[in-house]
Amino acid sequence: MNGIVKENPTFVLMLGMCPTLATTTSALNGMMMGLATMAVLICSNIVISLIKKLTPDMVHIPVYIVVIATLVTIVQFCLAAYLPDVNKSLGLFIPLIVVNCVILGRAESFAAKNTPLASACDGIGVGLGFTLGLTILGIFRELLGNGTVFNLRIIPEDFSMLVFILPPGAFLTLGFIIALINRVRNKE
């Protein structure tokens, strides 16, 4: 649960900002990027937890990166085969999952010190938090910038504000959401 709310990678820890800001032009893109990252996170946590005693301390980071890169390649091949439109839409950002701080950070801080089951649960929790964060950001950006949510028209086309689909809109939307979350947390 910590990865979903208290230690949300997107809104609290502010990790993985490159895909967060670049791929959330729509709710679908945000959700799919989050799910792809979550799949890699869960699988890498399990594999790293299984090989932790076999990996010498001097090379554990390169080994983790190779494991993560292999899993990212598998995810990208699956997206290309089964969801080519999503793969095309997310483009370069799928391979960048390899260097996502969320994944390497969880591998180092949790998976390398815990059982495969606990590591899988950690991957699920943090992955859900990341996916939720990207989806929420995508919903707001798509709604304000395009007038749609998951491609369903909500606001008439005349009232949409293109800036929210553009890079500055990503920063503005993320800032407003983080401010709102901090406001709610400070009242508690």
Side-chain angles (χ1 to χ4, degrees):
M1 286 298 291
N2 278 353
I4 298 171
V5 180
K6 288 182 182 179
E7 295 176 14
N8 183 287
T10 306
F11 300 131
V12 178
L13 301 178
M14 291 186 223
L15 296 173
M17 286 293 108
C18 183
T20 298
L21 297 172
T23 64
T24 57
T25 55
S26 72
L28 182 62
N29 282 353
M31 183 179 74
M32 294 309 293
M33 185 64 180
L35 291 173
T37 304
M38 185 166 88
V40 172
L41 181 59
I42 293 167
C43 294
S44 67
N45 272 7
I46 292 169
V47 171
I48 288 166
S49 180
L50 289 169
I51 66 169
K52 66 185 174 207
K53 292 182 180 173
L54 303 172
T55 310
D57 286 340
M58 292 178 61
V59 294
H60 72 275
I61 297 291
V63 169
Y64 297 169
I65 291 172
V66 169
V67 167
I68 294 165
T70 302
L71 294 167
V72 167
T73 303
I74 292 168
V75 166
Q76 186 168 26
F77 283 158
C78 290
L79 284 175
Y82 299 109
L83 298 168
D85 291 340
V86 171
N87 186 54
K88 185 178 178 184
S89 179
L90 297 177
L92 174 67
F93 296 100
I94 295 294
L96 286 176
I97 292 173
V98 174
V99 293
N100 191 318
C101 300
V102 175
I103 296 173
L104 193 55
R106 295 318 295 172
E108 182 74 19
S109 69
F110 197 89
K113 299 172 186 163
N114 291 285
T115 66
L117 180 60
S119 297
C121 291
D122 177 71
I124 292 168
V126 173
L128 282 173
F130 190 68
T131 303
L132 184 66
L134 267 63
T135 305
I136 289 170
L137 190 57
I139 286 170
F140 281 108
R141 288 185 67 196
E142 182 181 356
L143 179 64
L144 295 171
N146 221 13
T148 60
V149 174
F150 289 105
N151 293 322
L152 299 172
R153 174 86 30 217
I154 306 293
I155 297 173
E157 215 171 309
D158 296 341
F159 295 102
S160 58
M161 298 169 273
L162 184 61
V163 71
F164 286 99
I165 299 294
L166 300 173
F171 286 104
L172 288 170
T173 308
L174 181 64
F176 284 126
I177 292 171
I178 290 171
L180 180 65
I181 289 170
N182 286 339
R183 174 88 173 164
V184 170
R185 290 177 85 196
N186 288 339
K187 282 191 174 188
E188 293 172 359

